[in-house]
Amino acid sequence: MKETKVIRVIGKQKNVDGEQSEIELTTEGVLYEKNNHIYIVYEETELSGMEGTTTTLKIESNKRVSINRFGTTKNQLIFEEGESYKTVYNTMYGNFPMEVFTNYLSVNLDEQNKGVIEIRYDLNVADSMEPLINKLKIELM
């Protein structure tokens, strides 16, 4: 059964020079369960810089979460604490190889699927020497 949820996404990114940026998005999305996984689907906005993109979070367990984006931006990010995954970030400006290393992952949802998902990860874009340090907090209300 699909249910509508209010989703609040807070993304923070810091580079090696300490420069930090933050994006916060509150939107409506759809949550459903399939094959013992929880899926959360929402549309990105101009605020995130990915307008025209649909984002799907897949909660496979308390230890593995993936984000799939389709539309003007296309990529897949896999988060599993202590693990590194390579992917390609496809945009209208070109394709960029990326590597994601998950430092911390917490999935804390109640029986009504309300709660918080927190992910801390390092992101290397196009084999850069210095990673971008990221914090992602997703609140389901």
Side-chain angles (χ1 to χ4, degrees), residues 39-80:
Y39 293 84
I40 303 153
V41 181
Y42 64 92
E43 299 296 322
E44 295 286 349
T45 68
E46 185 178 341
L47 179 66
S48 68
M50 294 182 279
E51 187 175 23
T53 299
T54 301
T55 296
T56 302
L57 274 79
K58 179 181 179 185
I59 303 169
E60 297 180 41
S61 68
N62 288 341
K63 299 180 185 230
R64 185 176 166 116
V65 173
S66 62
I67 296 176
N68 291 292
R69 292 191 172 105
F70 298 97
T72 55
T73 299
K74 181 181 175 193
N75 74 335
Q76 178 184 40
L77 302 172
I78 299 172
F79 302 103
E80 193 169 359

Side-chain angles (χ1 to χ4, degrees), residues 20-133:
Q20 190 167 307
S21 63
E22 182 174 327
I23 295 175
E24 183 173 327
L25 168 69
T26 301
T27 188
E28 267 193 3
V30 174
L31 182 144
Y32 64 93
E33 293 185 42
K34 181 179 175 183
N35 298 328
N36 295 320
H37 302 308
I38 297 172
Y39 293 84
I40 303 153
V41 181
Y42 64 92
E43 299 296 322
E44 295 286 349
T45 68
E46 185 178 341
L47 179 66
S48 68
M50 294 182 279
E51 187 175 23
T53 299
T54 301
T55 296
T56 302
L57 274 79
K58 179 181 179 185
I59 303 169
E60 297 180 41
S61 68
N62 288 341
K63 299 180 185 230
R64 185 176 166 116
V65 173
S66 62
I67 296 176
N68 291 292
R69 292 191 172 105
F70 298 97
T72 55
T73 299
K74 181 181 175 193
N75 74 335
Q76 178 184 40
L77 302 172
I78 299 172
F79 302 103
E80 193 169 359
E81 195 169 307
E83 297 293 329
S84 181
Y85 289 94
K86 292 185 179 189
T87 187
V88 176
Y89 187 49
N90 299 306
T91 72
M92 62 181 111
Y93 305 108
N95 301 330
F96 305 96
M98 298 188 330
E99 185 172 2
V100 175
F101 178 81
T102 305
N103 297 297
Y104 175 81
L105 173 64
S106 172
V107 178
N108 188 7
L109 302 179
D110 64 17
E111 299 81 35
Q112 288 82 37
N113 289 319
K114 292 182 180 180
V116 178
I117 301 162
E118 291 185 83
I119 306 168
R120 293 184 208 132
Y121 63 98
D122 296 338
L123 176 66
N124 281 323
V125 179
D127 296 323
S128 65
M129 295 298 291
E130 302 294 335
L132 298 170
I133 300 164

